[in-house]
Amino acid sequence: MEDERTDEALRALAEPRRRAILRLVAHDELAAGEIAESFDVSRTAVSQHLTVLKNAGLLDERRDGTRRLYRARPDGLAGLRRFLDDMWASSLDTARRLVEAERGIGDNDTARGSA
């Protein structure tokens, strides 16, 4: 399930306008109309982007009378953050092993050096 949410978040964030929308609502709750004013596209297009972001779990929507207010959901990025952290840690570990192999240092040598 978490992989599906991460995939959905990645697909949603692949579109530059959606990333821009998330930046707009990262710290402030904004009405759909206020968000739309920031873009050179129709309100319908912005509404579709908001729906994709909301369905991906990246936005919260709140109604205030006839207005819809949006705010980023930091926890919506938690799965994506874990994915990137794991990938980064794995890449660093691979890079460390390559450098150590190039220098003739093994895991046992590293362990002795830190003991």
Side-chain angles (χ1 to χ4, degrees):
M1 176 70 178
E2 184 172 320
D3 284 346
E4 290 173 24
R5 291 300 272 180
T6 299
D7 289 347
E8 198 169 355
L10 284 168
R11 280 190 297 275
L13 293 172
E15 213 298 323
R17 228 174 247 121
R18 291 186 198 130
R19 292 192 305 273
I21 289 170
L22 272 181
R23 283 186 201 101
L24 282 175
V25 297
H27 303 289
D28 297 315
E29 186 177 60
L30 296 175
E34 294 172 300
I35 295 168
E37 288 171 2
S38 299
F39 298 95
D40 228 7
V41 295
S42 70
R43 286 181 182 249
T44 302
V46 170
S47 178
Q48 290 171 349
H49 287 308
L50 291 169
T51 298
V52 170
L53 290 166
K54 192 174 73 169
N55 290 343
L58 301 173
L59 283 184
D60 276 329
E61 178 188 71
R62 180 175 71 86
R63 289 183 182 250
D64 182 25
T66 59
R67 296 178 352 138
R68 291 179 185 210
L69 301 166
Y70 295 89
R71 176 182 288 278
R73 290 186 65 231
D75 56 325
L77 292 172
L80 180 57
R81 185 173 292 129
R82 277 190 296 280
F83 167 76
L84 293 172
D85 286 346
D86 289 348
M87 199 168 70
W88 177 248
S90 175
S91 295
L92 287 176
D93 188 49
T94 299
R96 177 190 57 81
R97 282 186 276 126
L98 289 171
V99 169
E100 288 175 351
E102 188 176 284
R103 293 182 179 171
I105 302 170
D107 284 336
N108 291 336
D109 295 332
T110 304
R112 267 187 255 132
S114 63

